[in-house]
Amino acid sequence: MHNEGLGSWPARRARKTPRRTALVHDGRTLAYADLDERVTRLAHGLRSLGVRRGDRVAYLGPNHPSFLETLFAAGALGAVFVPLNTRLAAPEIAYQLADSGTSVLVCGPAHAGLADELRAGAPVRSFVAVDGAGAQYFQDYQDHQDYEDLLAGGAADRIDEAVGPDDLCMIMYTSGTSGRPKGAMLTHGNIIWNAVNVLIDHDLVADEVALVSAPLFHTAGLNMLTLPVLLKGGRCVLVAGFDPEATFDLIEKHRVTFMFGVPTMFQQVARSPRWEGADLSSLRILTCGGAPVPPTLIAAYGERGLTFLQGYGMTEAAPGVLFLDAEHAESKAGSAGVQHFFSDVRVVAPDEPGLRPTGPGEIGEVVVRGPHVFRGYWGLPAESAAAFTDGWFRSGDAARVDEDGYAHIVDRIKDMFISGGENVYPAEVEHALLTHPDVLECAVIGVPDDEWGEVGRAVVVARPGSAPTAEDLLAALAGRLAAYKIPKSVVFTGALPRNGAGKLLKQPLRADFGNP
């Protein structure tokens, strides 16, 4: 094959295990040979819509076989896949479509209405609706295609476009501290090498059964769980969204061996009345990321004979950086582990030129280098260059390394906080708040929350002569930002602390207003 990228995976796997089940969704199973045929037909269908090498094809919708089929079909053409976060508000999605220059949008079930909303603000040429989702919205538009009709009309002869490891595979948006999300450019090689790291460090086997309830539009659900399992020839059980009660049923029915989730998901499972009596005997690998795992949660799963494998990563690294294996899960509890097999990681002095490694126990910035690290941000050459020092990507996260070389993430140099596994960047929320006529100044910080880990709190200086309420300000954000980004509380103050250069100082804000 000339195609060495992800677009060739269905064909390569079908050569080896054609009748093995690849995907399970809503009572339907899809063998690797069937997946290969559907991807081939979809690739022809996308080509008939004008998609060529380098063109962007976006997907908006929950976990569904069509998400993966679209990813692989785009890869077969040498096109670029753009997964969209369904939790975002319409203006946020429209920005990503416009910024990426997406030409074709595939919208999954229940999202056709949102896709219709996006028409005015995004330069999308063609809309493809899955499961008849667009019938009531797109029937009068010539640019609408039904997904299954597009496949049925596509040829079955293989497309073998020359695609190499250095070719762009995916633009995955990650929120930026400037208030605008940035598109991380991940090559086919980035994602392949990350998958190899997972195969090695997670010790995956060919009969792995993965429960994919974490969203595929996030890098962990896609690149740390689903794609490595498909590369190995295992089975992925796709569900549209996470439900703790349904999780028990799915584990028992499909004999699930591998799960990924953020701590909130695992907490909800452990709080269920079914927890004590549930059959969890098939589970072999539980990986948890997005936020530190509370010791009480580790203990609860330990009582059921289950061990969390924790890790640390970022979209820009596709995403795996550090990993704590089962052998050291207890002795190094609280650590993010050591670097993945094909990854180099250092903790360096953050305020010094160069990359001086810190000593044991000294806090510094995490930097990473390896074949899985992205090539830069889409359309942002200056920011891309600034993100690297001597070939090392600067994460902006602070950590310390113990005497055994295990890294402990201790803080975030950037102001980002994590709410329910979702990254929230205060600058983006602050930008939205400042458009309110009654807000003179504002700052957003993360505060502890029992359910979500952290939630936002807005510290606001009201414009003289105005008297806004917390309810007014939060209501003004509804529909403009994703719900998880909207602060859960507002406090008012007379002034925000700044240094002599006028830079906002958030540490005093956290000290004064950071308690739950």
Side-chain angles (χ1 to χ4, degrees), residues 388-418:
F388 290 87
T389 298
D390 297 334
W392 293 81
F393 176 69
R394 308 199 71 122
S395 71
D397 291 325
R400 59 179 174 81
V401 178
D402 65 24
E403 294 182 353
D404 298 320
Y406 284 75
H408 299 251
I409 308 298
V410 297
D411 202 353
R412 304 175 186 93
I413 294 173
K414 299 173 183 176
D415 291 326
M416 180 267 290
F417 61 91
I418 299 173

PDB file of all heavy atoms in Angstrom, residues 388-418:
ATOM      1  N   PHE A 388       7.848  25.880  21.524  1.00  0.00           N
ATOM      2  CA  PHE A 388       8.982  24.961  21.550  1.00  0.00           C
ATOM      3  C   PHE A 388      10.268  25.690  21.936  1.00  0.00           C
ATOM      4  O   PHE A 388      10.475  26.853  21.582  1.00  0.00           O
ATOM      5  CB  PHE A 388       9.175  24.317  20.173  1.00  0.00           C
ATOM      6  CG  PHE A 388       8.107  23.333  19.781  1.00  0.00           C
ATOM      7  CD1 PHE A 388       6.952  23.765  19.160  1.00  0.00           C
ATOM      8  CD2 PHE A 388       8.255  21.981  20.046  1.00  0.00           C
ATOM      9  CE1 PHE A 388       5.964  22.870  18.790  1.00  0.00           C
ATOM     10  CE2 PHE A 388       7.276  21.069  19.688  1.00  0.00           C
ATOM     11  CZ  PHE A 388       6.124  21.509  19.065  1.00  0.00           C
ATOM     12  N   THR A 389      11.121  24.973  22.654  1.00  0.00           N
ATOM     13  CA  THR A 389      12.479  25.433  22.942  1.00  0.00           C
ATOM     14  C   THR A 389      13.436  24.309  22.600  1.00  0.00           C
ATOM     15  O   THR A 389      13.356  23.223  23.191  1.00  0.00           O
ATOM     16  CB  THR A 389      12.641  25.822  24.428  1.00  0.00           C
ATOM     17  OG1 THR A 389      11.762  26.910  24.739  1.00  0.00           O
ATOM     18  CG2 THR A 389      14.076  26.237  24.716  1.00  0.00           C
ATOM     19  N   ASP A 390      14.273  24.543  21.624  1.00  0.00           N
ATOM     20  CA  ASP A 390      15.252  23.535  21.194  1.00  0.00           C
ATOM     21  C   ASP A 390      14.591  22.190  20.894  1.00  0.00           C
ATOM     22  O   ASP A 390      15.130  21.123  21.226  1.00  0.00           O
ATOM     23  CB  ASP A 390      16.338  23.349  22.263  1.00  0.00           C
ATOM     24  CG  ASP A 390      17.157  24.612  22.500  1.00  0.00           C
ATOM     25  OD1 ASP A 390      17.253  25.442  21.566  1.00  0.00           O
ATOM     26  OD2 ASP A 390      17.686  24.776  23.613  1.00  0.00           O
ATOM     27  N   GLY A 391      13.408  22.252  20.283  1.00  0.00           N
ATOM     28  CA  GLY A 391      12.723  21.024  19.897  1.00  0.00           C
ATOM     29  C   GLY A 391      11.861  20.407  20.974  1.00  0.00           C
ATOM     30  O   GLY A 391      11.190  19.395  20.730  1.00  0.00           O
ATOM     31  N   TRP A 392      11.833  20.987  22.167  1.00  0.00           N
ATOM     32  CA  TRP A 392      11.020  20.480  23.270  1.00  0.00           C
ATOM     33  C   TRP A 392       9.743  21.313  23.375  1.00  0.00           C
ATOM     34  O   TRP A 392       9.801  22.551  23.399  1.00  0.00           O
ATOM     35  CB  TRP A 392      11.779  20.565  24.590  1.00  0.00           C
ATOM     36  CG  TRP A 392      12.964  19.651  24.677  1.00  0.00           C
ATOM     37  CD1 TRP A 392      14.204  19.870  24.158  1.00  0.00           C
ATOM     38  CD2 TRP A 392      13.011  18.379  25.337  1.00  0.00           C
ATOM     39  NE1 TRP A 392      15.028  18.814  24.447  1.00  0.00           N
ATOM     40  CE2 TRP A 392      14.329  17.889  25.172  1.00  0.00           C
ATOM     41  CE3 TRP A 392      12.078  17.623  26.051  1.00  0.00           C
ATOM     42  CZ2 TRP A 392      14.732  16.663  25.697  1.00  0.00           C
ATOM     43  CZ3 TRP A 392      12.473  16.405  26.579  1.00  0.00           C
ATOM     44  CH2 TRP A 392      13.776  15.939  26.393  1.00  0.00           C
ATOM     45  N   PHE A 393       8.599  20.655  23.475  1.00  0.00           N
ATOM     46  CA  PHE A 393       7.340  21.365  23.670  1.00  0.00           C
ATOM     47  C   PHE A 393       7.182  21.739  25.128  1.00  0.00           C
ATOM     48  O   PHE A 393       7.314  20.896  26.023  1.00  0.00           O
ATOM     49  CB  PHE A 393       6.157  20.500  23.240  1.00  0.00           C
ATOM     50  CG  PHE A 393       4.823  21.141  23.516  1.00  0.00           C
ATOM     51  CD1 PHE A 393       4.416  22.257  22.812  1.00  0.00           C
ATOM     52  CD2 PHE A 393       3.991  20.640  24.510  1.00  0.00           C
ATOM     53  CE1 PHE A 393       3.202  22.871  23.085  1.00  0.00           C
ATOM     54  CE2 PHE A 393       2.772  21.238  24.788  1.00  0.00           C
ATOM     55  CZ  PHE A 393       2.382  22.362  24.076  1.00  0.00           C
ATOM     56  N   ARG A 394       6.873  22.996  25.374  1.00  0.00           N
ATOM     57  CA  ARG A 394       6.702  23.495  26.740  1.00  0.00           C
ATOM     58  C   ARG A 394       5.235  23.380  27.118  1.00  0.00           C
ATOM     59  O   ARG A 394       4.379  24.034  26.547  1.00  0.00           O
ATOM     60  CB  ARG A 394       7.185  24.935  26.830  1.00  0.00           C
ATOM     61  CG  ARG A 394       8.594  25.146  26.296  1.00  0.00           C
ATOM     62  CD  ARG A 394       9.194  26.422  26.806  1.00  0.00           C
ATOM     63  NE  ARG A 394       9.503  26.331  28.218  1.00  0.00           N
ATOM     64  CZ  ARG A 394      10.732  26.517  28.731  1.00  0.00           C
ATOM     65  NH1 ARG A 394      11.752  26.768  27.934  1.00  0.00           N
ATOM     66  NH2 ARG A 394      10.917  26.451  30.041  1.00  0.00           N
ATOM     67  N   SER A 395       4.957  22.544  28.104  1.00  0.00           N
ATOM     68  CA  SER A 395       3.570  22.233  28.458  1.00  0.00           C
ATOM     69  C   SER A 395       2.882  23.340  29.223  1.00  0.00           C
ATOM     70  O   SER A 395       1.658  23.448  29.201  1.00  0.00           O
ATOM     71  CB  SER A 395       3.531  20.953  29.304  1.00  0.00           C
ATOM     72  OG  SER A 395       4.067  21.199  30.598  1.00  0.00           O
ATOM     73  N   GLY A 396       3.656  24.144  29.969  1.00  0.00           N
ATOM     74  CA  GLY A 396       3.048  25.132  30.852  1.00  0.00           C
ATOM     75  C   GLY A 396       2.580  24.535  32.163  1.00  0.00           C
ATOM     76  O   GLY A 396       2.017  25.242  32.997  1.00  0.00           O
ATOM     77  N   ASP A 397       2.828  23.242  32.382  1.00  0.00           N
ATOM     78  CA  ASP A 397       2.418  22.575  33.615  1.00  0.00           C
ATOM     79  C   ASP A 397       3.623  22.378  34.524  1.00  0.00           C
ATOM     80  O   ASP A 397       4.742  22.106  34.066  1.00  0.00           O
ATOM     81  CB  ASP A 397       1.782  21.222  33.316  1.00  0.00           C
ATOM     82  CG  ASP A 397       0.441  21.356  32.628  1.00  0.00           C
ATOM     83  OD1 ASP A 397      -0.275  22.314  32.946  1.00  0.00           O
ATOM     84  OD2 ASP A 397       0.115  20.518  31.781  1.00  0.00           O
ATOM     85  N   ALA A 398       3.399  22.509  35.811  1.00  0.00           N
ATOM     86  CA  ALA A 398       4.469  22.392  36.798  1.00  0.00           C
ATOM     87  C   ALA A 398       4.461  21.011  37.434  1.00  0.00           C
ATOM     88  O   ALA A 398       3.409  20.423  37.671  1.00  0.00           O
ATOM     89  CB  ALA A 398       4.312  23.458  37.873  1.00  0.00           C
ATOM     90  N   ALA A 399       5.658  20.497  37.703  1.00  0.00           N
ATOM     91  CA  ALA A 399       5.784  19.168  38.300  1.00  0.00           C
ATOM     92  C   ALA A 399       7.078  19.091  39.097  1.00  0.00           C
ATOM     93  O   ALA A 399       7.962  19.945  38.961  1.00  0.00           O
ATOM     94  CB  ALA A 399       5.776  18.089  37.223  1.00  0.00           C
ATOM     95  N   ARG A 400       7.164  18.067  39.899  1.00  0.00           N
ATOM     96  CA  ARG A 400       8.429  17.738  40.556  1.00  0.00           C
ATOM     97  C   ARG A 400       8.706  16.263  40.293  1.00  0.00           C
ATOM     98  O   ARG A 400       7.784  15.455  40.123  1.00  0.00           O
ATOM     99  CB  ARG A 400       8.362  18.005  42.066  1.00  0.00           C
ATOM    100  CG  ARG A 400       7.297  17.227  42.792  1.00  0.00           C
ATOM    101  CD  ARG A 400       7.292  17.510  44.285  1.00  0.00           C
ATOM    102  NE  ARG A 400       6.160  16.858  44.944  1.00  0.00           N
ATOM    103  CZ  ARG A 400       6.137  15.578  45.299  1.00  0.00           C
ATOM    104  NH1 ARG A 400       7.185  14.793  45.085  1.00  0.00           N
ATOM    105  NH2 ARG A 400       5.064  15.066  45.886  1.00  0.00           N
ATOM    106  N   VAL A 401       9.960  15.912  40.252  1.00  0.00           N
ATOM    107  CA  VAL A 401      10.370  14.534  40.012  1.00  0.00           C
ATOM    108  C   VAL A 401      10.997  13.990  41.278  1.00  0.00           C
ATOM    109  O   VAL A 401      11.852  14.642  41.897  1.00  0.00           O
ATOM    110  CB  VAL A 401      11.367  14.450  38.839  1.00  0.00           C
ATOM    111  CG1 VAL A 401      11.828  13.022  38.613  1.00  0.00           C
ATOM    112  CG2 VAL A 401      10.733  15.009  37.567  1.00  0.00           C
ATOM    113  N   ASP A 402      10.573  12.796  41.698  1.00  0.00           N
ATOM    114  CA  ASP A 402      11.156  12.224  42.915  1.00  0.00           C
ATOM    115  C   ASP A 402      12.489  11.541  42.595  1.00  0.00           C
ATOM    116  O   ASP A 402      12.945  11.515  41.445  1.00  0.00           O
ATOM    117  CB  ASP A 402      10.171  11.276  43.605  1.00  0.00           C
ATOM    118  CG  ASP A 402       9.837  10.035  42.786  1.00  0.00           C
ATOM    119  OD1 ASP A 402      10.640   9.632  41.928  1.00  0.00           O
ATOM    120  OD2 ASP A 402       8.755   9.452  43.019  1.00  0.00           O
ATOM    121  N   GLU A 403      13.110  10.973  43.611  1.00  0.00           N
ATOM    122  CA  GLU A 403      14.445  10.395  43.438  1.00  0.00           C
ATOM    123  C   GLU A 403      14.439   9.176  42.530  1.00  0.00           C
ATOM    124  O   GLU A 403      15.482   8.785  41.998  1.00  0.00           O
ATOM    125  CB  GLU A 403      15.027  10.039  44.813  1.00  0.00           C
ATOM    126  CG  GLU A 403      15.294  11.263  45.681  1.00  0.00           C
ATOM    127  CD  GLU A 403      15.907  10.900  47.019  1.00  0.00           C
ATOM    128  OE1 GLU A 403      15.991   9.680  47.310  1.00  0.00           O
ATOM    129  OE2 GLU A 403      16.312  11.813  47.761  1.00  0.00           O
ATOM    130  N   ASP A 404      13.278   8.579  42.319  1.00  0.00           N
ATOM    131  CA  ASP A 404      13.185   7.413  41.431  1.00  0.00           C
ATOM    132  C   ASP A 404      12.819   7.791  39.999  1.00  0.00           C
ATOM    133  O   ASP A 404      12.651   6.910  39.152  1.00  0.00           O
ATOM    134  CB  ASP A 404      12.148   6.425  41.969  1.00  0.00           C
ATOM    135  CG  ASP A 404      12.524   5.882  43.340  1.00  0.00           C
ATOM    136  OD1 ASP A 404      13.727   5.599  43.549  1.00  0.00           O
ATOM    137  OD2 ASP A 404      11.625   5.749  44.193  1.00  0.00           O
ATOM    138  N   GLY A 405      12.652   9.096  39.743  1.00  0.00           N
ATOM    139  CA  GLY A 405      12.349   9.539  38.393  1.00  0.00           C
ATOM    140  C   GLY A 405      10.871   9.620  38.075  1.00  0.00           C
ATOM    141  O   GLY A 405      10.497   9.830  36.907  1.00  0.00           O
ATOM    142  N   TYR A 406      10.006   9.477  39.077  1.00  0.00           N
ATOM    143  CA  TYR A 406       8.562   9.554  38.851  1.00  0.00           C
ATOM    144  C   TYR A 406       8.100  11.003  39.006  1.00  0.00           C
ATOM    145  O   TYR A 406       8.448  11.677  39.982  1.00  0.00           O
ATOM    146  CB  TYR A 406       7.809   8.646  39.824  1.00  0.00           C
ATOM    147  CG  TYR A 406       7.907   7.193  39.441  1.00  0.00           C
ATOM    148  CD1 TYR A 406       9.087   6.470  39.651  1.00  0.00           C
ATOM    149  CD2 TYR A 406       6.844   6.545  38.827  1.00  0.00           C
ATOM    150  CE1 TYR A 406       9.192   5.140  39.270  1.00  0.00           C
ATOM    151  CE2 TYR A 406       6.937   5.214  38.446  1.00  0.00           C
ATOM    152  CZ  TYR A 406       8.116   4.520  38.674  1.00  0.00           C
ATOM    153  OH  TYR A 406       8.222   3.213  38.283  1.00  0.00           O
ATOM    154  N   ALA A 407       7.321  11.440  38.048  1.00  0.00           N
ATOM    155  CA  ALA A 407       6.882  12.836  38.026  1.00  0.00           C
ATOM    156  C   ALA A 407       5.565  13.005  38.775  1.00  0.00           C
ATOM    157  O   ALA A 407       4.661  12.176  38.665  1.00  0.00           O
ATOM    158  CB  ALA A 407       6.723  13.317  36.584  1.00  0.00           C
ATOM    159  N   HIS A 408       5.455  14.089  39.509  1.00  0.00           N
ATOM    160  CA  HIS A 408       4.240  14.442  40.240  1.00  0.00           C
ATOM    161  C   HIS A 408       3.792  15.817  39.744  1.00  0.00           C
ATOM    162  O   HIS A 408       4.500  16.802  39.924  1.00  0.00           O
ATOM    163  CB  HIS A 408       4.499  14.492  41.753  1.00  0.00           C
ATOM    164  CG  HIS A 408       4.963  13.182  42.332  1.00  0.00           C
ATOM    165  ND1 HIS A 408       4.175  12.401  43.137  1.00  0.00           N
ATOM    166  CD2 HIS A 408       6.144  12.525  42.199  1.00  0.00           C
ATOM    167  CE1 HIS A 408       4.843  11.313  43.486  1.00  0.00           C
ATOM    168  NE2 HIS A 408       6.039  11.376  42.929  1.00  0.00           N
ATOM    169  N   ILE A 409       2.627  15.868  39.105  1.00  0.00           N
ATOM    170  CA  ILE A 409       2.093  17.143  38.629  1.00  0.00           C
ATOM    171  C   ILE A 409       1.546  17.894  39.836  1.00  0.00           C
ATOM    172  O   ILE A 409       0.667  17.392  40.543  1.00  0.00           O
ATOM    173  CB  ILE A 409       0.992  16.936  37.575  1.00  0.00           C
ATOM    174  CG1 ILE A 409       1.487  16.017  36.458  1.00  0.00           C
ATOM    175  CG2 ILE A 409       0.515  18.269  37.023  1.00  0.00           C
ATOM    176  CD1 ILE A 409       2.673  16.546  35.674  1.00  0.00           C
ATOM    177  N   VAL A 410       2.056  19.096  40.064  1.00  0.00           N
ATOM    178  CA  VAL A 410       1.695  19.803  41.290  1.00  0.00           C
ATOM    179  C   VAL A 410       0.868  21.065  41.055  1.00  0.00           C
ATOM    180  O   VAL A 410       0.223  21.561  41.968  1.00  0.00           O
ATOM    181  CB  VAL A 410       2.948  20.161  42.109  1.00  0.00           C
ATOM    182  CG1 VAL A 410       3.661  18.902  42.559  1.00  0.00           C
ATOM    183  CG2 VAL A 410       3.893  21.043  41.312  1.00  0.00           C
ATOM    184  N   ASP A 411       0.908  21.607  39.866  1.00  0.00           N
ATOM    185  CA  ASP A 411       0.187  22.853  39.607  1.00  0.00           C
ATOM    186  C   ASP A 411       0.137  23.078  38.105  1.00  0.00           C
ATOM    187  O   ASP A 411       0.674  22.287  37.334  1.00  0.00           O
ATOM    188  CB  ASP A 411       0.895  24.032  40.292  1.00  0.00           C
ATOM    189  CG  ASP A 411      -0.028  25.218  40.522  1.00  0.00           C
ATOM    190  OD1 ASP A 411      -1.172  25.172  40.023  1.00  0.00           O
ATOM    191  OD2 ASP A 411       0.392  26.184  41.187  1.00  0.00           O
ATOM    192  N   ARG A 412      -0.503  24.150  37.713  1.00  0.00           N
ATOM    193  CA  ARG A 412      -0.562  24.530  36.307  1.00  0.00           C
ATOM    194  C   ARG A 412       0.039  25.909  36.169  1.00  0.00           C
ATOM    195  O   ARG A 412      -0.472  26.876  36.728  1.00  0.00           O
ATOM    196  CB  ARG A 412      -2.013  24.511  35.803  1.00  0.00           C
ATOM    197  CG  ARG A 412      -2.666  23.150  36.020  1.00  0.00           C
ATOM    198  CD  ARG A 412      -4.143  23.167  35.629  1.00  0.00           C
ATOM    199  NE  ARG A 412      -4.761  21.901  35.992  1.00  0.00           N
ATOM    200  CZ  ARG A 412      -5.394  21.665  37.134  1.00  0.00           C
ATOM    201  NH1 ARG A 412      -5.501  22.623  38.024  1.00  0.00           N
ATOM    202  NH2 ARG A 412      -5.907  20.482  37.388  1.00  0.00           N
ATOM    203  N   ILE A 413       1.123  25.970  35.445  1.00  0.00           N
ATOM    204  CA  ILE A 413       1.753  27.267  35.239  1.00  0.00           C
ATOM    205  C   ILE A 413       0.784  28.180  34.498  1.00  0.00           C
ATOM    206  O   ILE A 413       0.644  29.356  34.816  1.00  0.00           O
ATOM    207  CB  ILE A 413       3.082  27.100  34.484  1.00  0.00           C
ATOM    208  CG1 ILE A 413       4.080  26.338  35.375  1.00  0.00           C
ATOM    209  CG2 ILE A 413       3.660  28.450  34.073  1.00  0.00           C
ATOM    210  CD1 ILE A 413       5.357  25.976  34.682  1.00  0.00           C
ATOM    211  N   LYS A 414       0.120  27.624  33.528  1.00  0.00           N
ATOM    212  CA  LYS A 414      -0.955  28.358  32.879  1.00  0.00           C
ATOM    213  C   LYS A 414      -2.157  28.360  33.825  1.00  0.00           C
ATOM    214  O   LYS A 414      -2.228  27.562  34.754  1.00  0.00           O
ATOM    215  CB  LYS A 414      -1.315  27.699  31.555  1.00  0.00           C
ATOM    216  CG  LYS A 414      -0.160  27.654  30.564  1.00  0.00           C
ATOM    217  CD  LYS A 414      -0.512  26.845  29.344  1.00  0.00           C
ATOM    218  CE  LYS A 414       0.671  26.735  28.399  1.00  0.00           C
ATOM    219  NZ  LYS A 414       0.396  25.871  27.225  1.00  0.00           N
ATOM    220  N   ASP A 415      -3.093  29.179  33.596  1.00  0.00           N
ATOM    221  CA  ASP A 415      -4.215  29.347  34.516  1.00  0.00           C
ATOM    222  C   ASP A 415      -5.337  28.339  34.310  1.00  0.00           C
ATOM    223  O   ASP A 415      -6.358  28.407  34.991  1.00  0.00           O
ATOM    224  CB  ASP A 415      -4.791  30.764  34.385  1.00  0.00           C
ATOM    225  CG  ASP A 415      -3.833  31.814  34.910  1.00  0.00           C
ATOM    226  OD1 ASP A 415      -3.109  31.528  35.872  1.00  0.00           O
ATOM    227  OD2 ASP A 415      -3.812  32.918  34.341  1.00  0.00           O
ATOM    228  N   MET A 416      -5.173  27.447  33.368  1.00  0.00           N
ATOM    229  CA  MET A 416      -6.211  26.464  33.072  1.00  0.00           C
ATOM    230  C   MET A 416      -6.561  25.629  34.298  1.00  0.00           C
ATOM    231  O   MET A 416      -5.713  25.284  35.100  1.00  0.00           O
ATOM    232  CB  MET A 416      -5.721  25.544  31.951  1.00  0.00           C
ATOM    233  CG  MET A 416      -6.693  24.464  31.528  1.00  0.00           C
ATOM    234  SD  MET A 416      -6.422  22.902  32.411  1.00  0.00           S
ATOM    235  CE  MET A 416      -4.878  22.369  31.711  1.00  0.00           C
ATOM    236  N   PHE A 417      -7.862  25.330  34.442  1.00  0.00           N
ATOM    237  CA  PHE A 417      -8.272  24.360  35.447  1.00  0.00           C
ATOM    238  C   PHE A 417      -9.165  23.319  34.772  1.00  0.00           C
ATOM    239  O   PHE A 417      -9.601  23.493  33.636  1.00  0.00           O
ATOM    240  CB  PHE A 417      -8.976  25.012  36.649  1.00  0.00           C
ATOM    241  CG  PHE A 417     -10.241  25.758  36.329  1.00  0.00           C
ATOM    242  CD1 PHE A 417     -11.475  25.124  36.372  1.00  0.00           C
ATOM    243  CD2 PHE A 417     -10.217  27.100  35.998  1.00  0.00           C
ATOM    244  CE1 PHE A 417     -12.651  25.800  36.104  1.00  0.00           C
ATOM    245  CE2 PHE A 417     -11.394  27.801  35.718  1.00  0.00           C
ATOM    246  CZ  PHE A 417     -12.611  27.153  35.767  1.00  0.00           C
ATOM    247  N   ILE A 418      -9.382  22.209  35.451  1.00  0.00           N
ATOM    248  CA  ILE A 418     -10.098  21.073  34.869  1.00  0.00           C
ATOM    249  C   ILE A 418     -11.403  20.864  35.623  1.00  0.00           C
ATOM    250  O   ILE A 418     -11.410  20.707  36.839  1.00  0.00           O
ATOM    251  CB  ILE A 418      -9.238  19.799  34.922  1.00  0.00           C
ATOM    252  CG1 ILE A 418      -7.957  20.000  34.112  1.00  0.00           C
ATOM    253  CG2 ILE A 418     -10.011  18.597  34.388  1.00  0.00           C
ATOM    254  CD1 ILE A 418      -6.967  18.868  34.247  1.00  0.00           C
TER     255      ILE A 418
END
